[in-house]
Amino acid sequence: MEKITYEYLKENGLILFETIIGSQAYGTQTPTSDVDKKFVFILPQDYILGTGYIEQLNVNADYTGWEIKRFLELMGTNNPTVLELLNSPEDCIISKHPLFDLILEHKDEFITKICKNSFGGYAREQIGKAKGLNKKQNIEQGSVTRKDVLDFVYVIQGEKTIPWKVWCIEKPQFSREYVKYENTFCGVVNVPHAKDVYAVYHDEPAQACFSEELSEEDREANKKYYDEPYSLGYKGIAKVGGSNNAGESNQLRLSSIPKGETPICNIIFNKDGYTAHCKDYKEYMEWIENRNTQRYVDTVKHGQQIDGKNMMHCIRLIRMAQEIGRGEGIKVRREDAAELLSIRRGEIDLESLITMADSEINKMGEIFDNSDLPEKVNPELVNKLLVSIRRRFYILESKGENVTN
């Protein structure tokens, strides 16, 4: 059984429909826009009856085809890409098999109230991406920086809490401030029956004898002052530094405390806050690694960077859904292309676009509530078309005849 490739389908007359989609079809292309193509094909009969069925063929990232059965199934779910393909502008159609007219004759019967969720849901997804981008750019702009465990540790004082990194600093009146209680020389133990609350102990001799904040001369002098051993072996409050893995550990480091030692304070660790920060930071780093910077539009007017292509498609999808709900059909070539391109160029700030999109989605809901479109696609229509196209194609193929209208 020969491997199915685009070339094989083309050479054997198995492509039923092929068209240009995306910005070229919408009329929103720019000089750098790719030419995206989709096609519908029919497999040879042996591949249907045997084990060689494939439902989709990817030529490359911008060039995909569906086998006729899968294509009709997607039409039944009101998939936006498939319905747009079915309503391609004439100047975008590359080729059309006469049998594909059987589908085109019924294309309006595939427009139902499901479009509210298929087109609208896709638009909501774009809004979610835009909000996520805004969040990530806030991180990039410094509103959120890489933090460690100690940024989420607080000293309990009465009914208040003080950040550990502030509390541990000594600020003498006439000399420079210094870290009185270094993390490395502290030990913590759980406070019973108190979630995420710990008692902190400080190994003063160890800090005096080994702290890198002190000069070697001072450390040696302190060793003469204190009796050996100089350290109680505390593990520190938390492991910090030395790794860029934001999710390395969300636990404090517990130590064994000798009897008779007195805690210097009680602390509470906001573990949930630290875990959430690690998740955000990890997502941000993955976004930095994978983002396509060409999609982002710098703007002078509002000083913000947005994914203009993302938001352009969001507004386009909402408007197309409203048109569908009003019974105007699927308008692929956009009359509002100039306005959509202004969004693509970033001439409207992200907050205004999101506000507008939210408002238009609410309006879309009202339109569909009052629409007389059918609730869903008639499943018998999908089956009838599939059987009819396969039967005619394979009968004609077996006779070696050309397909005619």
Side-chain angles (χ1 to χ4, degrees), residues 57-242:
L57 179 64
N58 298 321
V59 180
N60 57 49
D62 302 316
Y63 206 171
T64 302
W66 296 286
E67 210 279 329
I68 183 64
K69 178 177 181 288
R70 180 57 178 159
F71 178 75
L72 286 167
E73 288 173 345
L74 290 172
M75 285 175 59
T77 66
N78 282 183
N79 177 280
T81 302
V82 167
L83 288 182
E84 287 175 12
L85 179 150
L86 206 59
N87 291 271
S88 295
E90 287 295 328
D91 58 0
C92 289
I93 297 174
I94 299 170
S95 66
K96 180 173 69 69
H97 194 289
L99 281 178
F100 199 76
D101 285 330
L102 293 175
I103 296 176
L104 294 177
E105 289 169 4
H106 294 275
K107 67 179 184 179
D108 290 341
E109 295 175 54
F110 284 92
I111 300 176
T112 73
K113 288 187 176 180
I114 297 176
C115 289
K116 173 187 174 182
N117 291 325
S118 61
F119 280 77
Y122 193 23
R124 290 186 184 94
E125 182 180 323
Q126 304 308 306
I127 295 172
K129 289 180 180 178
K131 290 178 178 178
L133 169 64
N134 193 39
K135 181 179 181 180
K136 291 176 176 66
Q137 289 182 162
N138 285 338
I139 295 176
E140 190 171 34
Q141 293 163 3
S143 63
V144 179
T145 57
R146 173 68 172 94
K147 297 180 180 180
D148 60 41
V149 172
L150 291 178
D151 288 301
F152 296 84
V153 171
Y154 300 86
V155 176
I156 301 171
Q157 286 197 341
E159 59 185 24
K160 297 181 180 180
T161 60
I162 301 173
W164 167 263
K165 287 186 174 182
V166 174
W167 185 86
C168 72
I169 300 294
E170 184 76 12
K171 298 182 179 180
Q173 185 176 0
F174 299 109
S175 61
R176 68 180 181 85
E177 65 181 40
Y178 65 96
V179 181
K180 184 176 181 180
Y181 303 110
E182 290 185 34
N183 164 56
T184 307
F185 304 105
C186 290
V188 297
V189 295
N190 295 105
V191 173
H193 313 298
K195 182 182 177 182
D196 296 329
V197 176
Y198 304 82
V200 181
Y201 296 81
H202 181 239
D203 191 344
E204 183 179 328
Q207 182 169 328
C209 297
F210 301 109
S211 173
E212 295 183 359
E213 297 296 318
L214 302 175
S215 66
E216 184 177 354
E217 182 181 351
D218 286 342
R219 293 197 296 267
E220 291 303 317
N222 288 334
K223 288 178 183 178
K224 294 178 181 178
Y225 176 79
Y226 290 101
D227 296 328
E228 293 189 59
Y230 306 120
S231 173
L232 297 175
Y234 293 163
K235 297 180 180 179
I237 298 175
K239 182 178 180 179
V240 296

